[in-house]
Amino acid sequence: LEANPLITEGVASKPSITDDGSTVVYVTTNKTIRIIQIDWANGSASANFLSENPDWRNVAISKDGQRLAAISDDFDDRIYIFDLSSGGNGLIYTLFNPTTAEGVSTGDVNYDFLEWDASGEFLMYDALSTISNSGTEIDFWDIGFMRAWNNSTNDFGDGFITKLFNALPDNTSVGNPSFAKNSPEIITMDFFDASTDEYSVLAVNSQTGDVATLWDNVTLGYPNYSVDDSKVIFDAET
């Protein structure tokens, strides 16, 4: 590939890459959205703007490169889904905390991380949520899935939301999730216990609910699986 830098702006969000490695999207430090398209056969690449509006905080492209999810720099509860296959038609969804518990109401959802699942239908995210229970407000991070696309109708999804965990222990949070590369039901993530100031890297089977602690950490790890899922790579302080 070309040795000279394709762009001069800094990178503000974790780059999101299609499965075939041909397309990379990310948010710059100028809050615009960049797209890099790579021609591996010819050893060349090009960089362009997907959005020159300085309004964005994070972005994720689906594994097949057909859909884009983005969140704005307003730190609100909205998420923007774009259908790149139709020229960029979009729809705005509002995130919420599904709950049926008596006396429990949900407040704003502020989210951060985004990643599409292998099917291209569901978007995984982590969110800072506020729940009010009998007058007491509790802030915590958790992980949700939103049906952003419907493959059967080839159209936008209904926005249905489920959570990875129905309930977390008091004063605990999970975040920074990432799918395994070859077993998409397996997810790694950070776990934080605010009462003890302890961190861990976890692996969860989203189908069975099984949870394993991979590493007792001393900071957020932002874990990610290797290509063959044999390793989990994360930040650690020693």
Side-chain angles (χ1 to χ4, degrees):
L1 290 178
E2 300 173 5
N4 294 328
L6 291 170
I7 55 98
T8 57
E9 302 99 335
V11 178
S13 73
K14 177 183 176 181
S16 178
I17 307 171
T18 56
D19 258 1
D20 63 3
S22 66
T23 305
V24 182
V25 297
Y26 62 92
V27 176
T28 73
T29 50
N30 296 329
K31 302 178 184 179
T32 58
I33 298 178
R34 277 283 197 181
I35 180 170
I36 296 177
Q37 293 172 309
I38 303 172
D39 184 344
W40 292 102
N42 295 316
S44 62
S46 61
N48 296 287
F49 286 104
L50 273 179
S51 174
E52 294 188 74
N53 296 326
D55 302 324
W56 303 103
R57 184 160 57 96
N58 203 355
V59 64
I61 194 166
S62 59
K63 310 301 183 185
D64 61 4
Q66 298 299 302
R67 251 68 64 186
L68 194 79
I71 55 178
S72 78
D73 195 48
D74 292 335
F75 288 86
D76 55 21
D77 55 2
R78 292 177 297 175
I79 189 163
Y80 300 77
I81 304 297
F82 300 96
D83 179 20
L84 300 181
S85 66
S86 67
N89 293 330
L91 195 64
I92 301 174
Y93 294 87
T94 300
L95 294 184
F96 62 93
N97 280 313
T99 181
T100 57
E102 185 176 354
V104 176
S105 63
T106 63
D108 292 338
V109 178
N110 255 318
Y111 45 99
D112 187 25
F113 175 90
L114 301 171
E115 184 176 340
W116 290 89
D117 77 340
S119 73
E121 290 191 300
F122 285 88
L123 188 71
M124 180 170 64
Y125 62 90
D126 66 3
L128 177 62
S129 303
T130 301
I131 287 184
S132 180
N133 187 358
S134 302
T136 300
E137 288 194 346
I138 303 170
D139 293 333
F140 64 97
W141 287 89
D142 68 350
I143 296 169
F145 303 89
M146 185 183 76
R147 187 185 291 134
W149 191 257
N150 187 324
N151 285 340
S152 297
T153 62
N154 195 33
D155 204 350
F156 294 99
D158 57 12
F160 179 75
I161 289 174
T162 58
K163 293 299 184 76
L164 181 60
F165 298 105
N166 291 327
L168 289 169
D170 290 345
N171 300 313
T172 64
S173 293
V174 289
N176 304 317
S178 184
F179 288 109
K181 303 299 187 291
N182 305 290
S183 302
E185 74 278 5
I186 305 298
I187 302 167
T188 185
M189 70 202 67
D190 281 316
F191 174 84
F192 174 58
D193 188 332
S195 60
T196 60
D197 198 32
E198 293 178 335
Y199 299 82
S200 300
V201 175
L202 304 182
V204 177
N205 186 319
S206 60
Q207 293 183 353
T208 66
D210 292 336
V211 180
T213 299
L214 303 181
W215 188 263
D216 291 324
N217 213 1
V218 293
T219 186
L220 292 174
Y222 304 95
N224 202 349
Y225 279 96
S226 61
V227 174
D228 62 359
D229 293 338
S230 63
K231 299 179 179 67
V232 174
I233 303 164
F234 57 91
D235 293 338
E237 294 180 4
T238 57

